[in-house]
Amino acid sequence: MSIPLEPGMRVRHPHRPDWGIGQVQSVIGDRVTVNFEEVGKVLINAAVVSLDIVDEA
């Protein structure tokens, strides 16, 4: 079971670790806008890429 992404969540792109940690800015359907530390805002198609949630605990 996957956890739905919500604005404010911190994530990593599984195939682009060089982008650093990103913060979800918006989620509209499968379109997720993430602001990554190293590359800025990127639009991700969540139907194609499953972002890894960063556990801050």
Side-chain angles (χ1 to χ4, degrees), residues 3-11 23-27 32-33 53:
I3 298 171
L5 294 173
E6 297 178 1
M9 294 178 93
R10 297 178 57 78
V11 296
Q23 184 179 43
V24 176
Q25 302 296 299
S26 67
V27 180
V32 182
T33 302
I53 297 172

Side-chain angles (χ1 to χ4, degrees), residues 1-5 10-16 24 30 32 34 36 44-54:
M1 181 171 87
S2 65
I3 298 171
L5 294 173
R10 297 178 57 78
V11 296
R12 285 189 189 274
H13 190 296
H15 306 295
R16 300 304 301 257
V24 176
D30 286 335
V32 182
V34 181
F36 287 98
I44 304 289
N45 182 345
V48 177
V49 176
S50 180
L51 295 168
D52 297 328
I53 297 172
V54 175

